[in-house]
Amino acid sequence: MKYNFKSIDRLMLLISLLLPAVGLVSCSDDDDKFVPDGPVELSVTRNGADVNALDYGTYGGETLLTLETNAYWDISVSDAADWLVLSNRSGDPTKGLPDREDEPRYIKLTVAPLGQDQSRSCTVTFRAANEVKTVTVNQKQPAAADESGWESAYVANQNMAVGINLFNTLDAVGDWFDPEDVSAWETCWGQPVTTQGWFDAVAAAGFKAVRVPVTWHVHMDENWVIKEPWLNRVEEVVNYALNSGLYCILNVHHDTGQDGWLCADMENIDAISEKFGSLWTQIATRFNKYGEKLLFEGYNEMLDAANSWVEPVAGGYEAVNTLAQKFVDTVRATGGNNAHRNLVVNTYGGGNSQTRFDNLRIPSDNINGHLLVEVHNYSPSKFSNLNGEIDDDNLPTWTPEFESILGKELDIMNEFSNKYNIPVIIGECAAYDKIADEEKGKYGEFLTTYSKGKANISYFYWGALIDRSTYEIISPLLVKGFLKGA
């Protein structure tokens, strides 16, 4: 058969001339790269808001972006930034395709830990045909100190690392003794009078900090004035910690919680806020001249008016956020060293669930880098005996299942800390004291090392680790495991 090549050439030329006029749409020789006839749309958002820059700290983190476009899209990263990983690099339109429902594409950006570098940045470019959207990604080490030289919250939390609570002591309450007897208050829950020797032993064991819970309302007069003997004793105990070279977190403890006056109650928020402000004005004024190793914790496990440990009644989260802001504003207003002091706010009830973090609003502050967030974690409950479910005749061992449970909760804290570049304190945690020391040691090591290199987390044990009278270590393997995080 003889072919007429001239006729074939003419046919191909005609087809090439007709193609632009028909409804086919393509931005390249690859027909999969769809481009619409009309205008190209492209949006990249984070939590519903347009995003132009993302900032990360030492440990990096993950961010989920929402991509919407009616054209084939792709993503490029400048400067060969191998420290940034994208879940997707290209794909089909997310909307406007025939016979296909509109569905946004979610792009996860994962930024690796910074290591020893001080900073780095790159540009992530989203393209859809002729539309371009750029997002600058910045990562830098948090400042070690502010302009006055005061240590940042970030560095303070790294330095605290692992600590212990002075529990059932200055936080105790009762009605079976002389209310004017300070020593009786301090010992009414079975603990001996606090001594400098105990704090020295805590430091010698390797702990870096002590959380000092204090209940105040039983030591205030009808005008909310703290009685001087009690305030003197609290200051004396704080000095014990600082004299030992330890960091000290001073808080407001059983004023919150079950039947406490300091509750997340929007119906009475004005009266509660006024009393709360008066209390913190007195505490902050008394400790104004103390240095950066003293931190203030605004409140402990604040509950709503119904004392709900699960979801609060309407307004519960709002009330916690309102009082957290009141705490920060009140302390800052006292000036002096309190203008820079590192301050701690807690989630509702001290909970560490995703819901608790999602509903916490970090207070605004007139100085950057001096706020921390605290939660409490007694997980797994079958190891801490939080709900009284452990059988003393069948004590648990530390298992991979327990590691999985606790690891998932720590992941939530890690993500929150990195997302907001804010340090997180686990202010209370514990294992059931009757469990074998070796098993408790495994728990302690897992807890305090899991987040190393991932986020800025510190840990404070609630329980007897250093004997209050003999100053001896009570659970050597637990202490050894717990201190792995130091």
Side-chain angles (χ1 to χ4, degrees):
M1 178 181 293
K2 186 177 182 180
Y3 292 93
N4 188 337
F5 289 100
K6 289 185 178 180
S7 297
I8 293 174
D9 289 344
R10 292 192 188 99
L11 178 60
M12 294 303 294
L13 176 61
L14 178 61
I15 291 172
S16 66
L17 292 173
L18 287 174
L19 271 175
V22 299
L24 298 176
V25 283
S26 176
C27 61
S28 74
D29 293 337
D30 186 349
D31 289 339
D32 291 336
K33 296 185 177 181
F34 186 93
V35 179
D37 286 331
V40 174
E41 301 174 11
L42 172 64
S43 69
V44 180
T45 58
R46 178 189 187 188
N47 298 329
D50 184 56
V51 59
N52 295 301
L54 296 170
D55 296 315
Y56 296 87
T58 301
Y59 300 104
E62 298 178 348
T63 300
L64 201 63
L65 300 179
T66 302
L67 170 68
E68 295 184 274
T69 180
N70 59 350
Y72 178 88
W73 55 271
D74 62 58
I75 309 173
S76 62
V77 180
S78 69
D79 303 322
D82 57 0
W83 48 273
L84 185 150
V85 177
L86 297 166
S87 60
N88 304 86
R89 289 277 187 163
S90 62
D92 293 329
T94 66
K95 60 182 181 179
L97 283 179
D99 303 321
R100 188 183 297 182
E101 291 185 8
D102 294 351
E103 186 175 349
R105 177 60 65 91
Y106 298 101
I107 310 296
K108 183 169 73 173
L109 279 72
T110 303
V111 174
L114 187 51
Q116 299 301 314
D117 295 334
Q118 287 302 305
S119 65
R120 59 190 175 191
S121 65
C122 68
T123 300
V124 181
T125 302
F126 299 79
R127 291 185 179 86
N130 59 331
E131 289 296 315
V132 177
K133 168 73 175 180
T134 60
V135 176
T136 302
V137 178
N138 302 305
Q139 187 179 21
K140 65 179 180 179
Q141 303 284 6
D146 61 27
E147 68 283 353
S148 72
W150 192 278
E151 185 176 68
S152 70
Y154 204 88
V155 171
N157 208 44
Q158 288 179 324
N159 290 342
M160 289 192 297
V162 291
I164 190 171
N165 279 271
L166 181 73
F167 70 104
N168 294 356
T169 304
L170 300 182
D171 53 319
V173 295
D175 59 4
W176 55 88
F177 48 82
D178 180 0
E180 301 303 319
D181 187 337
V182 171
S183 294
W185 274 112
E186 187 173 338
T187 59
C188 71
W189 280 4
Q191 299 297 325
V193 170
T194 311
T195 63
Q196 180 68 62
W198 182 79
F199 285 90
D200 292 343
V202 168
F207 292 96
K208 306 300 181 184
V210 172
R211 179 172 177 254
V212 177
V214 179
T215 300
W216 299 90
H217 71 279
V218 289
H219 305 285
M220 298 166 69
D221 65 21
E222 64 277 8
N223 297 314
W224 309 336
V225 176
I226 303 169
K227 296 177 181 178
E228 191 68 14
W230 185 251
L231 193 52
N232 289 341
R233 179 55 178 160
V234 172
E235 184 174 16
E236 187 174 28
V237 172
V238 168
N239 282 327
Y240 290 161
L242 299 176
N243 291 341
S244 297
L246 297 163
Y247 282 81
C248 179
I249 299 178
L250 177 64
N251 86 347
V252 170
H253 205 75
H254 287 306
D255 299 82
T256 65
Q258 196 77 21
D259 302 318
W261 67 270
L262 182 54
C263 60
D265 178 12
M266 283 304 294
E267 291 188 7
N268 298 289
I269 195 65
D270 290 341
I272 294 170
S273 181
E274 183 181 3
K275 184 175 181 179
F276 186 52
S278 173
L279 173 59
W280 266 112
T281 295
Q282 294 175 74
I283 299 171
T285 300
R286 181 61 170 255
F287 292 94
N288 195 312
K289 294 182 179 180
Y290 280 72
E292 59 194 3
K293 283 197 168 183
L294 176 63
L295 292 78
F296 293 158
E297 175 191 326
Y299 48 89
N300 183 45
E301 297 170 341
M302 192 188 300
L303 304 177
D304 61 20
N307 294 322
S308 174
W309 284 102
V310 289
E311 283 302 290
V313 299
Y317 287 123
E318 180 184 358
V320 168
N321 292 332
T322 298
L323 292 169
Q325 188 64 62
K326 178 70 173 183
F327 162 63
V328 172
D329 292 344
T330 299
V331 173
R332 295 289 181 243
T334 61
N337 284 349
N338 293 331
H340 306 270
R341 192 170 307 283
N342 291 318
L343 306 179
V344 184
V345 296
N346 290 11
T347 59
Y348 177 87
N352 59 200
S353 69
Q354 187 66 58
T355 303
R356 294 289 191 264
F357 280 117
D358 287 345
N359 283 281
L360 176 67
R361 185 175 67 243
I362 298 171
S364 60
D365 197 2
N366 55 20
I367 186 168
N368 292 326
H370 289 289
L371 297 181
L372 306 92
V373 170
E374 181 179 314
V375 296
H376 297 167
N377 184 282
Y378 288 96
S379 185
S381 62
K382 291 182 179 179
F383 200 80
S384 69
N385 204 29
L386 178 64
N387 301 317
E389 55 198 301
I390 293 181
D391 178 4
D392 285 355
D393 294 325
N394 188 25
L395 295 171
T397 59
W398 186 248
T399 65
E401 179 185 2
F402 286 157
E403 290 188 357
S404 176
I405 293 169
L406 183 53
K408 289 176 181 177
E409 297 186 10
L410 292 170
D411 283 338
I412 294 173
M413 300 179 212
N414 295 344
E415 181 180 357
F416 174 84
S417 178
N418 292 329
K419 181 177 180 180
Y420 294 101
N421 286 330
I422 192 165
V424 170
I425 299 171
I426 299 179
E428 296 180 15
C429 55
Y432 186 44
D433 58 357
K434 294 183 180 180
I435 293 174
D437 195 26
E438 181 180 2
E439 301 304 317
K440 290 188 292 186
K442 295 173 185 177
Y443 153 78
E445 180 172 352
F446 180 86
L447 172 67
T448 62
T449 62
Y450 182 86
S451 297
K452 269 195 168 184
K454 299 177 184 176
N456 189 312
I457 313 289
S458 64
Y459 313 84
F460 286 75
Y461 196 85
W462 185 277
L465 296 182
I466 309 292
D467 189 279
R468 291 283 299 275
S469 299
T470 67
Y471 312 144
E472 297 295 322
I473 294 176
I474 295 173
S475 299
L477 296 179
L478 171 55
V479 170
K480 181 180 179 181
F482 200 71
L483 288 171
K484 289 283 187 178

